[in-house]
Amino acid sequence: AQSVTQLGSHVSVSEGALVLLRCNYSSSVPPYLFWYVQYPNQGLQLLLKYTTGATLVKGINGFEAEFKKSETSFHLTKPSAHMSDAAEYFCAVSEPYTGRRALTFGSGTRLQVQP
Amino acid sequence: DVKVTQSSRYLVKRTGEKVFLECVQDMDHENMFWYRQDPGLGLRLIYFSYDVKMKEKGDIPEGYSVSREKKERFSLILESASTNQTSMYLCASRLSGRGTSNEQFFGPGTRLTVL
């Protein structure tokens, strides 16, 4: 069974500061990993994904994440926060090549950006 | 671009009513999903369908049923709505098969209130 833990349901940063959103997962096989963003009253939009290959993944809007197998982590970072980054962020995991084709999501982290 | 649409953004129903939530995708994806989103719980899988007329229960199927008569359309049915089904409902679709990344594309969501 898979699970995802996002540490911190709310994170607040100042505009221009580093953004770090934490995600740890458990999976019995090498996983596929995703970060999605949800702006108010909208659906989820893919920020970035890791499947295979390079462990540092770059996504949209200046975000990136690094897959660390030894730490079972996939933390999301952005060097300099912008007001428009205020949203809820979800980490998700799936197992490749299995019958379960759904994603398992973390509980989400709401990012607040202070001026 | 993949487009996933949901029939209503906001819906208000009374306890005991039969409720239909419709989802349509335009990219010929085999797999479709229904999630519900609640604060602090992230997204939880209700049902998914891996092809026309095929369906499988997710993690929280009680009180729900689904229908997939055509590839592009996946309906979620609340046979007798209850107040604990007040939630945000998100539909997603995914291209099937090996070599795909398991990325899911989401609709904008339907916020359902049951009075």
Side-chain angles (χ1 to χ4, degrees), chain B residues 19 21 34-38 44-47 55 57 60-67 75-82 84-89 112:
Chain B
V19 182
L21 302 182
W34 276 106
Y35 296 90
R36 67 175 278 177
Q37 180 183 8
D38 299 289
R44 294 178 291 166
L45 181 67
I46 305 172
Y47 266 97
K55 60 187 180 186
K57 294 179 179 179
I60 52 165
E62 296 79 17
Y64 303 95
S65 62
V66 289
S67 172
S75 302
L76 180 69
I77 303 154
L78 287 67
E79 294 290 342
S80 177
S82 64
N84 63 12
Q85 292 178 309
T86 292
S87 186
M88 170 73 99
Y89 291 87
L112 172 67

Side-chain angles (χ1 to χ4, degrees), chain B residues 76 92 95 106 108:
Chain B
L76 180 69
L95 191 63
F106 284 82

Side-chain angles (χ1 to χ4, degrees), chain A residues 48-90:
Chain A
L48 49 79
K49 63 187 176 189
Y50 168 79
T51 54
T52 58
T55 57
L56 182 62
V57 179
K58 295 187 185 300
I60 62 172
N61 301 340
F63 284 93
E64 62 183 36
E66 187 170 11
F67 169 55
K68 291 189 177 180
K69 185 178 178 182
S70 61
E71 298 177 9
T72 60
S73 69
F74 191 57
H75 302 329
L76 182 71
T77 60
K78 182 174 180 178
S80 176
H82 192 273
M83 296 296 290
S84 61
D85 295 327
E88 189 155 22
Y89 293 80
F90 292 94

